[in-house]
Structures are given as structure tokens and as C-alpha cells.
């Protein structure tokens, strides 16, 4: 065995750590022939503190006093790698390295452990021999093993002897106790000291760096290892850090201090901070114990504090109440106690009482849930606090107050319920009012209201029930076992306080409580005018036995609910009929027209409002024209809905006459004026001509339409502001605006853009913004989606609208010029032949040869009538759209009419022929005369299908000279010019 190791083995256990380090370094340096050695111990964070040296002058070790344990120096590398390392010294002249001026060749370092955890490193400075040989490494490991063993057996630092002081010395000691507080950030190494801590640890403010290294430098080397071990153990185990150690004072002497702290942890359980206090322990502490014996066993809690509110004494009751021992409380600020931190305003109230030198008393809630009555008594030498546990006394007082308060709250809730039920309009309003007014005061969690319809129960509304349970309850027949039916048939409330009671009464449905999650029931029949028509079930998710007072209150509540629900059901029925009437008066489906594609929405007013008079319409007209209409009868109710229906019918009738917009508005004004002064109607009529791409608009007191151009711009056409219908003075002004292909025209009523919280201008700006945004993101391509976007933005679902609203969106399409053909004709008998020739050529160009004979015949009849009965100028036009339209224009204002011709009449069959050959026909006025038009479908009959004679048409054709069974299709051989219409 190595002689040096044998010599170390003779050292008795219990030697101070400083002596252990000295011996270990002395023999390590001697055995290896090294120049010197040093020992570093791990400190907080990533710091290694130099605690012992041998053979190396202080001038060379100054840069090694505290080093980073994650750095490149030999001790740090040994800790990091967990094994012996050899690190050559830095080259001579190197800058920024602590070993640049060292003699020798390098450092050999090995880690030290305690309880399988690295605690530090032993390093040896080698001379010219260089890196140690294998046997030298083994010797160093043996020395470290001996050091680790003796460190465990080393005694902790012992404080100074405490002589028993006399009374005067005790008072002086207590008065001079100075407690410093500190806050150490374990992750960053930042250390915060207050002024008392700076003085306690012998550090001048200008030397204070705010790092934990400040503390490590002032601790005595012999006391540092056990102190660091205690701090490490407290952090790992989550316990309290307590230590007594020596620190270097400002005068260079060593003085004993005590410290106490506890670590805090983040959400993941990692240590974050350690907050604690330290105080000078050179003065005797027995004075505090002697002064406290008289108060030690008081039945009330007792705390004594100095002028700085630091605790100097606590009796047994105070320890029990606060959950800390006297030693743990001593020196701590009163405000740092958890109990004090949880009392709002405690510090302010206590300081105010101390400043005024007046006693105060109040109740505080401690962390353990107990309630204490606290009394603060200021004094000349400090403050004292007495506190008494009044938990039970306050509980009884609170129970009495709670009972009184609960009764008062229930009465107030019933009053609120009464007021809410008086305002309830619909059945849903009633259920919501009961849920708000009944469930909270009785701590109920479920509500079901059902009405009797025939021999079944149907749910009116519910709260706190899943859909599958409602499906079981809804439609339950009278003959099935049911507590709901039993309460209705008995006409008296039924109360069940537990699932066991429910199962005993209704074994066939004993599983229902578990499925519904209910454990107590109050079933209240609803009776009005002597007739029981429903049931109100109030349920609880826990067993609940209602008191007699509560049962009486619920029974009284059910009478209020019955009256309100009966009234609401009548309103619901009338409201439903009104809504159905209104829907029947609005278009069921928008007509399909090649000049426009459209989508519309009608949004009724909010709940509780009657039906309104808003309407919209699309009316197909001749010649590629379409009328777009929107109107609003002001007010709500059946009379307004009926007025809306009358006006909508009138608009259809006037539009079918193909009157211009201003004349239609004049006729509507006369109709509304005849209804009386109470009628107030706004309307907008837009006539779009797909052949000219012009929209003619007239309005009466109505908001202007919005026009979304294909490029995404939105404009409101400048229209004249005529008064509402019934109050206007004709004539109305018509404004014509050009409309680019694919533009979207938005017609609406004021309910969409105006409300009590929004002016109409703001609403119109919001509408324009939605239309523009929808064009940008592509929503405007689908008019149905655009309708949803507009209504959701301007009338959100949670918005309680006070007025109904109508919205009509129409994308306008122009008829291409290639699908139109027009020719002037002379007013002489040759015109019919020219018309037939022009039609043959044009229909051949369009690929509609199958329609040529019929179209020639129709044009010949119409042109012949103009030649015979009207005046010029004469013009022919063909429109190829969804149908083939043939139009003949003349300068006469006389309208043709169908008359019945006898068998002997030579004329009078022209319009009958037109009616038979066309899908529909009509006339309209023009600025220069009139137009007679016909429409034919583009499809032709199936030639393979057997044709049956169309008796009136066939007879008519057979009566025309030359047009019989042997007709060869040559219309030029026939005479049309002398045929009368």
C-alpha cells in the first residue's frame, strides 16, 4: 500500500473540511512531484468556488476563485466529463486566460462526488514531467475517495458560545437584531440583497454586482461546503434551507450569521427562485426565549414585533395557527407570512394604527381556512398582535345571515320572475324567464316545460337536458307510466327527493334518472282558467328535499308560469298564422329570366314583433326586359301584410301592361292615397332592358339601390328623392343608368341598413363595403352566398331587429348584338314580302330554320295589320334569347284586340292566328307609338311523334286560300296584306 495513503488513513474522522482539503492537496502534490494544487467546490448555478490551495501563490489563483463550471478550464471539464482530464496550460503571452502566466506544463483534474452527485474537483499543476502516468492517476483517485469519505464525516460549523445574558443585555440584543432579506434567481444567478443584507454580509454597495458570486466570496472557506450542500439539498427535496456560517465583515473579521430560505418552482417542477432572510447570530438568542415564557401558553395567539414589523416572539397558539415554529417565524416580516399576504389591506391598516398609536381589531381568514379575530396594540418599543379563533362563532352567525339572505333573494327572484313573465311574448320567452328566475335560487340544474296536445305531451322548451332524454319525454302518451302525467291528472305538485324514491314509484322507468343525470324532481302542473294544460318540471343533479316553504313558493310560481305560457301560446299561434300569410304573399320562387339571375332574402323583425309589409318581386316582360321591384309598407301587423299583398298584385298588373316606371308609380300613388292617411308606403321600380343595357328607375321615398360593377366598384345611382306613395304629387321622375354586363343590382328595404343604433348612411356604407369585399374574395360570384354574407354582416344572428328587411340581388345580363336583328320597312304592300325574306335569311344565320315558316306567317300578319290599319314608321326586330321574339313597331297608339269572327266574316281572325302560333304575345307603348310582339319556343315538335290535328288552328289554316292539305310551304304564293286583324 502506498505510504502516503496509509498516512492519510490514520486521520481520525470528524476533522474539519478545511483540514481534509489541506492534507489531500499536500500529499497529492508530493506524490506527483507537482508544483501545486487546488480544490474547487460547486456553488449555486454554474459557479465553481476555490476553497483550498497548496503551493500556488494567491496572485496566480485570483482568477480561479470563481470559475464557470460549464467553461473550458480543467476543474470544469473534469466535472462535465465525469473523469480525469489533462489540460495543457495556455501558451505564454495568451490574452484572456487565467493560466497564461503560470509555470509548468498543464493541469490534471478529477471530479469529486457526494451521494452520486458531483460536488467539486481536485486539480494538480504539473511541472516538466507533463501528464501524470497511470499509477499517478490511480493515486489521485484514491486521494479523492479518502477526501469524499472524510467530507461526509466532517462536523458542521458551530456558532459562537452563547452566554446567558442578563435582562438588560436581552433587551439590547432584541433591539439590535438586524434581519437582511435576499432573493436569488436560481436560473440566472442574479442575487438581490436589501441594505441590511449588504451590511450583514460585509459588502459595500459599490462592490455589489448582483450575482450569487458576491455571497460565495464572503463565506468562510471552511463553512462553504456544508452550506452549499444544505442549499443544494433544500432545492432538490423542496425543503427549508437553514444554515449557520461565518462571513467576512467590512472590518475583515469573521462573524457568525444564520440564514433561512425556501425555493419556489415553476409549473414543470423546476427550481426558479430561493427567497430568504439572514441575521447576525453573534448575539445571544436566549433573551428572546426568556422574554417569551410568560406569554408562551396563552389561549390566544400572541405575536411581538419590533419597529420594523419583524417578528421577535410567537407563542404556542400563534405557532399552531400560523403553521410555523417560533424559530421559523423569528426575524420574518409580518407581511411576508402567507396568512398576512392573503389579507387585503392588512399592512396599510396596521401601519395606520401604529402611526396613530391606536388599537384596531378585525377578522382575517388564515390559509388553513380558520377565521381569527385580530387585535393590534401599538407600543413604544414595538407592536403586539392578539388573535382568537372565531371560526365556529362566525359560522353560526353566517348561517343565520345566509338563511335570511336566501329568503330575501328568493323573494327578489320571484319578483323578477313576475316582471319577466309579464314581458314574455313567446313560449321561448317564458321558458327562458323561468330558467333565469327559478333555477338559480333553488340550485336546480334542469327544466322541462311540456304542453298537453290530445293524449300526448310535447316539449315547449328545456334547459339542462340532453337530446336523447328529450326524445324520450316528447310525445309520451297518457297511458304510459310517467310522473309528468300523474302530476297533470292529479292537478297537484309532485315532489321526489332522490332516485330511490323515483324508482319506488316508477320501477318501469327506474333507469331514467341515471340517463338524464337528475336525482330530485319538482313537478308542477300548469293550470289556467281552471284547465290544466301542461307541466313544468324543475330538476336537480343531487338529492334534494325541499322545505315546506320552498314547495309553497314553487307552487305559487307555477301559477305565474301557467298564465304567462297560456298567453304566449296564443301569441305563438297568431304569430305563426301571420308569418304563413306573409310568406304566401311573397314570391315562392324567383322567376328565371335570361336578362338576370337573382337571389333574395326576407328577414322578419325580431322576436316579439308582428309581421311586416316588406316585399320584393321580379316580373319578366317582353322584348328582353325585366322589372325589379322592392317595397315597404310601414308598420307591423295583418293590415300591413294585407296592404303589401294588394300593392304587389297591383304592381304585377301594371307591369303586365308594360307601362313605364313613372306611370306605374303614379298609379300606385293613387291606390295608396285611396287607402287613407294611415298608409305609408315606399317603393322602388327598376326596369332593365337587356337589348340596350339601360336600367330605368323610379322610386317613392325608398332607399336607392346599390350597383356592384364588374370591376368591384360599388355606386349608388343619383336618384330624385320623391316622397312616399300616398303623399307624392305625380309625375314621378325616371332615371336611366347604363349597366355594364354582369353588374349586380342590390335592392333592399330600410330595415337592412337602418336601426336605432345605426343611421341609414352608415348602413348603406356598410352594404357597399360588404359588396366590394365579396367581389374581391369571390363570394359575389354566387348570389345565394352573397345574400348570406350581406345579411350576416348587416343583421347578425344575435341582433334583435326592430324592423323586417328585404334584400333582392340581381345580376343583369345583356343580350349580345349578334342575337338581335332590326330592319326598317316601307309602309306599302311590299313590306310583308320584305319581312319574310329578312326573316328567312336571319333565322338561317341563327340555325333556326325550323321556325322560319311560323315566324314568316306571324310577321306577315303583324306587318299586314300595320299597313292596313296603322301608320309608320314601320320597323321589324328579331331577338334570339331563351325564346325567339318577333316585334313589329309602328307609329300608332291604337292597341289591337281579339274579337270573335263569325263564319261569314272575311276578317277578324288575325289575332286568333297569332295566339295559336305563338307561345305568348302582347303589345306595349313606345315613345313613338306601339310595339306588337310574339314569342316562340326555340325547340320544335318531335317529327316522329304522331301529330293530332289542332282543331281551331288547323281549321283556321285550312280556311286560308291555298293553305290546305296540298300546301307546299311557299308562303309567297299566299296573300297576307289584306288580312284584317
Amino acid at each position: 500500500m502506498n505510504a502516503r495513503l496509509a498516512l492519510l488513513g490514520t486521520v481520525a474522522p470528524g476533522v474539519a473540511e478545511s483540514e481534509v482539503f489541506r492534507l489531500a492537496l499536500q500529499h497529492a502534490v508530493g506524490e506527483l512531484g507537482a508544483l501545486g494544487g487546488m480544490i474547487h467546490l460547486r456553488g449555486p448555478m454554474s459557479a465553481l468556488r476555490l476553497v483550498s490551495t497548496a503551493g500556488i501563490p494567491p496572485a496566480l489563483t485570483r482568477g480561479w476563485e470563481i470559475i464557470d463550471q460549464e467553461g473550458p478550464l480543467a476543474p470544469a471539464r473534469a466535472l462535465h466529463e465525469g473523469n480525469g482530464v489533462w489540460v495543457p496550460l495556455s501558451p505564454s503571452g495568451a490574452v484572456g486566460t487565467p493560466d497564461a502566466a503560470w509555470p509548468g506544463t498543464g493541469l490534471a483534474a478529477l471530479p469529486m462526488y457526494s451521494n452520486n452527485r458531483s460536488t467539486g474537483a481536485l486539480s494538480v499543476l504539473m511541472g516538466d514531467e507533463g501528464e501524470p502516468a497511470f499509477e499517478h492517476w490511480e493515486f489521485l483517485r484514491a486521494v479523492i475517495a479518502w477526501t469524499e469519505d472524510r467530507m461526509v464525516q466532517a462536523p458542521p460549523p458551530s456558532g459562537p458560545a452563547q452566554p446567558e445574558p442578563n435582562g438588560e443585555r436581552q433587551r439590547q440584543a432584541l433591539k439590535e437584531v438586524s434581519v437582511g432579506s435576499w432573493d436569488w434567481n436560481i436560473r440566472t444567478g442574479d442575487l438581490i440583497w436589501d441594505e441590511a443584507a449588504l451590511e450583514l454580509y460585509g459588502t459595500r454597495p459599490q462592490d455589489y454586482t448582483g450575482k450569487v458570486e458576491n455571497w460565495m466570496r464572503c463565506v468562510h472557506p471552511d463553512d462553504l461546503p456544508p452550506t452549499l450542500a444544505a442549499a443544494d439539498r433544500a432545492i432538490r427535496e423542496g425543503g427549508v434551507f437553514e444554515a449557520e456560517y461565518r462571513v467576512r465583515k467590512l472590518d475583515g473579521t469573521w462573524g457568525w450569521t444564520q440564514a433561512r430560505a425556501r425555493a419556489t418552482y415553476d409549473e414543470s417542477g423546476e427550481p426558479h427562485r430561493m427567497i430568504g432572510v439572514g441575521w447576525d447570530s453573534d448575539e445571544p438568542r436566549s433573551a428572546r426565549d426568556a422574554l417569551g415564557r410568560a406569554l408562551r401558553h396563552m389561549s390566544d395567539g400572541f405575536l411581538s414585533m419590533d419597529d420594523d414589523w419583524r417578528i421577535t416572539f410567537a407563542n404556542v397558539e400563534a405557532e399552531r395557527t400560523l403553521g410555523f415554529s417560533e424559530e421559523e417565524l423569528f426575524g420574518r416580516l409580518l407581511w411576508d407570512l402567507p396568512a398576512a399576504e392573503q389579507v387585503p389591506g392588512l399592512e396599510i391598516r396596521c401601519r395606520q394604527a401604529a402611526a396613530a398609536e391606536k388599537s384596531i381589531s378585525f377578522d382575517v381568514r388564515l390559509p388553513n381556512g380558520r377565521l381569527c379575530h385580530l387585535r393590534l396594540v401599538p407600543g413604544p418599543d414595538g407592536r403586539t398582535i392578539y388573535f382568537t379563533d372565531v371560526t365556529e362563532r362566525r359560522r353560526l352567525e353566517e348561517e343565520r345571515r345566509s338563511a335570511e339572505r336566501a329568503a330575501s333573494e328568493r323573494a327578489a327572484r320571484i319578483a323578477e320572475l313576475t316582471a319577466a313573465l309579464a314581458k314574455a311574448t313567446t313560449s321561448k320567452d317564458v321558458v327562458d324567464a323561468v330558467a333565469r328566475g327559478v333555477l338559480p335560487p333553488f340550485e336546480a340544474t334542469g327544466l322541462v316545460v311540456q304542453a298537453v296536445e290530445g293524449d300526448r305531451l310535447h316539449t315547449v322548451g328545456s334547459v339542462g337536458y340532453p337530446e336523447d332524454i328529450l326524445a324520450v319525454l316528447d310525445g309520451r302518451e297518457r297511458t304510459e307510466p310517467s310522473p309528468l302525467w300523474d302530476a297533470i291528472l292529479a292537478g297537484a305538485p309532485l315532489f321526489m327527493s332522490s332516485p330511490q324514491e323515483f324508482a319506488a314509484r316508477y320501477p318501469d322507468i327506474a333507469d331514467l334518472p341515471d340517463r338524464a343525470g337528475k336525482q330530485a324532481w319538482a313537478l308542477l302542473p300548469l293550470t289556467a282558467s281552471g284547465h290544466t294544460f301542461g307541466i313544468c318540471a324543475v330538476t336537480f343533479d343531487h338529492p334534494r328535499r325541499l322545505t315546506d316553504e320552498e314547495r309553497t313558493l314553487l307552487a305559487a310560481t307555477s301559477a305565474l308560469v301557467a298564465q304567462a305560457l297560456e298567453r304566449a301560446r296564443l301569441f305563438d299561434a297568431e304569430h305563426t298564422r301571420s308569418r304563413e300569410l306573409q310568406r304566401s304573399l311573397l314570391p315562392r320562387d324567383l322567376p328565371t329570366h335570361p336578362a338576370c339571375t337573382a337571389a333574395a332574402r326576407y328577414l322578419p323583425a325580431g322576436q316579439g314583433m308582428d309581421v311586416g309589409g316588406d316585399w320584393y318581386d321580379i316580373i319578366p316582360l317582353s322584348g328582353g326586359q325585366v322589372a325589379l321591384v322592392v317595397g315597404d309598407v310601414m308598420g307591423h301587423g295583418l293590415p300591413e301584410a294585407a296592404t303589401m299583398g294588394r300593392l304587389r298584385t297591383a304592381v304585377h298588373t301594371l307591369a303586365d301592361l308594360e307601362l313605364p316606371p313613372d306611370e306605374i308609380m303614379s298609379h300606385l300613388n293613387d291606390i295608396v292615397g285611396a287607402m287613407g292617411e294611415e298608409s305609408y308606403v315606399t317603393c322602388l321600380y327598376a326596369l332593365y332592358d337587356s337589348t340596350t343595357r339601360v336600367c330605368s328607375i323610379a322610386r317613392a321615398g325608398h332607399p336607392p339601390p346599390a350597383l356592384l360593377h364588374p370591376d368591384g366598384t360599388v355606386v349608388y345611382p343619383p336618384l330624385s328623392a320623391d316622397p312616399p306613395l300616398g303623399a307624392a304629387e305625380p309625375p314621378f321622375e325616371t332615371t336611366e343608368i347604363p349597366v355594364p354586363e354582369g353588374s349586380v343590382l342590390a335592392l333592399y328595404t330600410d330595415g337592412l341598413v337602418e336601426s336605432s343604433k345605426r343611421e341609414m348612411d352608415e348602413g348603406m356604407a356598410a352594404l357597399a363595403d360588404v359588396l366590394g369585399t365579396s367581389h374581391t374574395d369571390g363570394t359575389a360570384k354566387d348570389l345565394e352566398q352573397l345574400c348570406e354574407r350581406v345579411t350576416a354582416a348587416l343583421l347578425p344572428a344575435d341582433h334583435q331587429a326592430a324592423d323586417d328587411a328585404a334584400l333582392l340581388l340581381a345580376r343583369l345580363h345583356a343580350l349580345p348584338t349578334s342575337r338581335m336583328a332590326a330592319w326598317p320597312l316601307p309602309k306599302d304592300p311590299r313590306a310583308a314580302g320584305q319581312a319574310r325574306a329578312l326573316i328567312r335569311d336571319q333565322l338561317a344565320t341563327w340555325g333556326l330554320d325550323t321556325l322560319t315558316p311560323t315566324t314568316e306567317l306571324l310577321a306577315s300578319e303583324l306587318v299586314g295589320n300595320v299597313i292596313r290599319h296603322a301608320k309608320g314608321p314601320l320597323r321589324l326586330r328579331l331577338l334570339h334569347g331563351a325564346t325567339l321574339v318577333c316585334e313589329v313597331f309602328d307609329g300608332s297608339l291604337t292597341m289591337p284586340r281579339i274579337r270573335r269572327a263569325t263564319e261569314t266574316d272575311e276578317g277578324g281572325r288575325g289575332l286568333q292566328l297569332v295566339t295559336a302560333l305563338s307561345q305568348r304575345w302582347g303589345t306595349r307603348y313606345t315613345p313613338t307609338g306601339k310595339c306588337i310582339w310574339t314569342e316562340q319556343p326555340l325547340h320544335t315538335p318531335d317529327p316522329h311523334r304522331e301529330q293530332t290535328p289542332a282543331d281551331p288552328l288547323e281549321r283556321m289554316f285550312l280556311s286560308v286560300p291555298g293553305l290546305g292539305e296540298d300546301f307546299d310551304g311557299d308562303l309567297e304564293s299566299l296573300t297576307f296584306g289584306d288580312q284584317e286583324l
Side-chain angles (χ1 to χ4, degrees):
M1 181 178 181
N2 185 285
R4 292 184 180 275
L5 294 177
L7 188 60
L8 288 174
T10 63
V11 178
V15 177
E17 285 184 337
S18 59
E19 182 66 13
V20 172
F21 296 157
R22 186 186 66 80
L23 291 172
L25 286 177
Q26 180 180 350
H27 287 285
V29 170
E31 180 69 19
L32 273 65
L35 300 177
M38 52 188 173
I39 291 180
H40 286 83
L41 291 183
R42 289 185 57 178
M45 296 297 298
S46 58
L48 284 174
R49 167 71 189 277
L50 179 64
V51 296
S52 186
T53 61
I56 305 177
L60 297 183
T61 61
R62 187 168 294 112
W64 291 72
E65 288 184 354
I66 296 178
I67 63 175
D68 187 357
Q69 68 182 26
E70 302 295 333
L73 300 181
R77 288 184 54 183
L79 279 179
H80 183 68
E81 298 181 14
N83 203 350
V85 297
W86 167 253
V87 179
L89 294 179
S90 301
S92 179
V95 179
T97 57
D99 59 353
W102 284 29
T105 55
L107 285 170
L110 288 95
M112 298 190 301
Y113 290 88
S114 175
N115 296 326
N116 297 322
R117 189 172 184 274
S118 59
T119 58
L122 183 147
S123 307
V124 178
L125 175 63
M126 299 300 294
D128 295 337
E129 297 83 358
E131 182 178 358
F134 173 78
E135 59 273 13
H136 289 159
W137 282 112
E138 290 300 313
F139 176 81
L140 289 176
R141 290 188 178 92
V143 170
I144 288 176
W146 175 84
T147 303
E148 293 169 348
D149 179 67
R150 290 301 187 271
M151 285 178 65
V152 174
Q153 301 177 27
S158 59
Q162 300 291 339
E164 186 68 22
N166 56 30
E168 180 61 29
R169 185 172 176 82
Q170 291 174 344
R171 287 189 293 271
Q172 185 65 23
L174 289 175
K175 186 176 181 180
E176 294 178 359
V177 166
S178 176
V179 180
S181 63
W182 46 270
D183 185 343
W184 168 39
N185 190 315
I186 300 176
R187 295 176 178 171
T188 64
D190 293 336
L191 180 65
I192 300 174
W193 279 344
D194 61 9
E195 292 182 2
L198 285 171
E199 182 179 355
L200 178 67
Y201 296 119
T203 303
R204 295 180 178 85
Q206 60 270 25
D207 298 331
Y208 176 60
T209 63
K211 291 292 184 178
V212 74
E213 286 78 3
N214 279 115
W215 174 81
M216 294 178 64
R217 287 191 177 95
C218 72
V219 179
H220 194 284
D222 289 349
D223 300 341
L224 184 61
T227 304
L228 292 176
D232 182 69
R233 183 167 56 254
I235 293 173
R236 287 187 288 107
E237 299 176 358
V240 176
F241 165 64
E242 291 181 302
E244 187 170 21
Y245 49 88
R246 286 163 291 179
V247 296
R248 183 184 288 108
K249 300 295 185 179
L250 287 174
D251 59 3
T253 62
W254 296 95
W256 286 93
T257 63
Q258 285 187 335
R260 178 177 176 80
R262 185 184 292 274
T264 62
Y265 302 84
D266 59 19
E267 297 177 353
S268 60
E270 293 297 323
H272 179 208
R273 299 164 60 198
M274 177 176 277
I275 303 172
V277 295
W279 62 92
D280 194 327
S281 60
D282 280 335
E283 291 292 341
R285 287 172 292 176
S286 59
R288 188 178 65 251
D289 298 331
L291 293 175
R293 289 191 181 98
L295 301 172
R296 187 65 177 162
H297 298 287
M298 282 180 60
S299 59
D300 290 346
F302 178 83
L303 286 177
S304 176
M305 294 157 291
D306 61 16
D307 291 337
D308 295 324
W309 299 93
R310 295 189 182 275
I311 298 173
T312 58
F313 178 80
N315 69 354
V316 174
E317 180 63 18
E319 293 176 349
R320 186 189 65 80
T321 303
L322 300 178
F324 294 98
S325 67
E326 185 184 10
E327 287 75 14
E328 293 171 330
L329 292 171
F330 179 72
R332 294 187 63 174
L333 269 175
L334 175 63
W335 327 120
D336 291 342
L337 296 178
E341 292 176 349
Q342 297 181 19
V343 180
L346 176 64
E347 181 176 357
I348 296 176
R349 296 171 71 177
C350 290
R351 290 187 182 277
Q352 289 176 346
E357 296 185 355
K358 293 182 179 179
S359 300
I360 59 170
S361 59
F362 47 87
D363 288 352
V364 296
R365 179 74 64 179
L366 299 180
N368 58 10
R370 306 296 293 177
L371 191 66
C372 283
H373 182 72
L374 183 145
R375 183 164 59 96
L376 173 67
V377 181
D381 297 325
R383 297 101 170 91
T384 55
I385 289 181
Y386 302 84
F387 47 91
T388 306
D389 192 328
V390 293
T391 305
E392 188 64 20
R393 185 195 311 169
R394 296 293 188 264
R395 184 184 65 80
L396 296 175
E397 294 173 356
E398 182 61 29
E399 287 180 356
R400 183 176 66 256
R401 287 193 295 268
S402 296
E404 296 172 353
R405 187 166 52 250
S408 176
E409 289 178 354
R410 279 197 296 269
R413 290 274 187 173
I414 295 302
E416 293 176 4
L417 175 62
T418 303
L421 290 176
K423 297 178 182 178
T425 304
T426 66
S427 299
K428 183 179 183 302
D429 293 339
V430 173
V431 174
D432 292 343
V434 174
R436 292 191 304 268
V438 175
L439 299 190
F442 289 93
E443 299 180 352
T445 58
L447 173 70
V448 175
V449 178
Q450 291 190 310
V452 178
E453 296 181 10
D455 288 335
R456 294 179 180 272
L457 287 175
H458 290 282
T459 302
V460 176
S462 66
V463 174
Y465 273 85
E467 292 296 330
D468 58 333
I469 298 300
L470 292 177
V472 173
L473 299 178
D474 194 40
R476 201 163 187 84
E477 295 185 358
R478 184 191 301 262
T479 56
E480 299 180 64
S482 169
L484 301 174
W485 270 115
D486 288 351
I488 292 173
L489 296 176
L494 176 60
F495 301 97
M496 291 175 287
S497 58
S498 66
Q500 293 75 20
E501 185 177 350
F502 185 98
R505 283 175 175 264
Y506 304 98
D508 294 339
I509 53 174
D511 63 328
L512 192 58
D514 287 339
R515 294 169 57 189
K518 308 301 178 187
Q519 299 189 34
W521 299 261
L523 309 179
L524 312 171
L526 302 177
T527 303
S529 303
H531 170 62
T532 301
F533 65 89
I535 188 78
C536 176
V538 179
T539 58
F540 306 83
D541 60 3
H542 59 278
R544 176 85 152 81
R545 182 172 296 279
L546 297 170
T547 65
D548 292 342
E549 178 188 356
E550 291 173 329
R551 295 187 180 194
T552 302
L553 196 56
L554 283 174
T557 300
S558 67
L560 298 174
V561 175
Q563 296 291 337
L565 186 60
E566 181 73 2
R567 184 177 64 252
R569 293 177 70 202
L570 293 175
F571 174 84
D572 288 342
E574 181 180 354
H575 193 68
T576 300
R577 288 191 295 269
S578 300
R579 291 293 188 201
E580 290 175 351
L581 170 62
Q582 188 172 44
R583 292 191 190 97
S584 67
L585 295 176
L586 290 172
R588 292 184 179 274
D589 298 299
L590 295 177
T592 302
H593 196 277
C596 72
T597 54
R601 292 290 186 275
Y602 172 77
L603 292 88
Q607 190 171 0
M609 301 297 294
D610 210 336
V611 294
D614 291 19
W615 90 91
Y616 56 86
D617 230 326
I618 293 182
I619 307 173
L621 300 175
S622 65
Q625 299 181 107
V626 62
L628 309 173
V629 189
V630 64
D632 183 5
V633 180
M634 298 302 168
H636 297 87
L638 291 179
E640 284 73 13
T643 300
M644 178 264 284
R646 293 170 61 186
L647 292 177
R648 180 169 176 255
T649 302
V651 171
H652 265 272
T653 303
L654 295 171
D656 285 341
L657 295 176
E658 305 213 42
L659 299 176
D662 57 333
E663 291 190 27
I664 289 180
M665 298 302 287
S666 296
H667 286 295
L668 290 177
N669 185 65
D670 294 339
I671 295 173
V672 174
M675 293 180 180
E677 296 181 356
E678 297 180 356
S679 298
Y680 183 84
V681 181
T682 66
C683 183
L684 185 145
Y685 186 95
L687 178 64
Y688 174 66
D689 189 342
S690 64
T691 65
T692 62
R693 301 183 183 180
V694 172
C695 188
S696 303
I697 303 174
R699 64 167 179 161
H702 204 84
L707 184 61
L708 172 62
H709 286 274
D711 61 359
T713 59
V714 180
V715 297
Y716 287 96
L719 305 178
S720 60
D722 289 316
L725 296 175
E729 292 291 337
F732 289 84
E733 183 174 344
T734 300
T735 302
E736 295 185 348
I737 58 172
V739 179
E741 163 65 21
S743 299
V744 176
L745 191 65
L747 281 66
Y748 54 90
T749 58
D750 59 352
L752 183 71
V753 296
E754 186 179 32
S755 68
S756 60
K757 298 181 179 179
R758 181 175 59 198
E759 296 294 334
M760 182 174 291
D761 291 344
E762 297 175 0
M764 293 171 60
L767 173 61
D769 183 64
V770 174
L771 293 175
T773 303
S774 300
H775 178 273
T776 303
D777 61 23
T779 305
K781 295 179 180 179
D782 188 332
L783 293 183
E784 291 293 337
Q785 291 187 14
L786 183 56
C787 274
E788 293 297 330
R789 171 75 70 85
V790 171
T791 55
L794 273 66
L795 297 175
D798 57 352
H799 175 72
Q800 186 78 0
D803 192 11
D804 50 348
L807 172 66
L808 175 62
L809 298 178
R811 177 171 282 112
L812 304 179
H813 306 291
L815 185 65
T817 55
S818 62
R819 296 295 188 98
M820 296 184 290
W823 307 273
L825 296 176
K827 190 178 183 306
D828 58 45
R830 296 174 302 165
Q834 293 180 16
R836 290 193 294 272
L838 293 170
I839 288 172
R840 276 195 301 271
D841 294 342
Q842 187 62 51
L843 294 187
T845 301
W846 287 343
L848 301 177
D849 302 87
T850 57
L851 298 180
T852 300
T854 305
T855 309
E856 288 184 29
L857 183 56
L858 290 171
S860 295
E861 284 293 334
L862 300 180
V863 172
N865 179 69
V866 173
I867 297 298
R868 187 177 180 85
H869 300 290
K871 62 180 181 178
L874 177 61
R875 188 162 60 95
L876 172 68
R877 187 170 72 165
L878 295 179
L879 303 177
H880 179 196
T883 60
L884 179 63
V885 178
C886 177
E887 298 177 326
V888 175
F889 298 83
D890 63 58
S892 173
L893 296 177
T894 303
M895 291 292 181
R897 60 185 180 87
I898 295 180
R899 63 183 179 88
R900 186 175 184 83
T902 64
E903 293 181 358
T904 59
D905 290 340
E906 295 183 2
R909 295 181 177 85
L911 289 184
Q912 297 181 25
L913 178 64
V914 171
T915 302
L917 292 179
S918 62
Q919 178 174 281
R920 67 185 188 118
W921 70 277
T923 63
R924 68 175 181 272
Y925 288 107
T926 67
T928 59
K930 71 175 182 295
C931 169
I932 305 177
W933 53 269
T934 66
E935 280 189 9
Q936 303 174 69
L938 296 181
H939 65 276
T940 57
D942 187 354
H944 301 290
R945 191 175 70 179
E946 182 179 354
Q947 300 292 321
T948 58
D951 48 351
L953 181 60
E954 186 172 321
R955 286 196 301 270
M956 185 179 297
F957 283 177
L958 292 177
S959 67
V960 178
L963 189 59
E965 295 180 356
D966 297 330
F967 174 60
D968 59 1
D970 184 9
L971 293 178
E972 294 299 328
S973 65
L974 304 178
T975 59
F976 295 96
D978 59 351
Q979 294 292 323
E980 294 186 3
L981 294 181

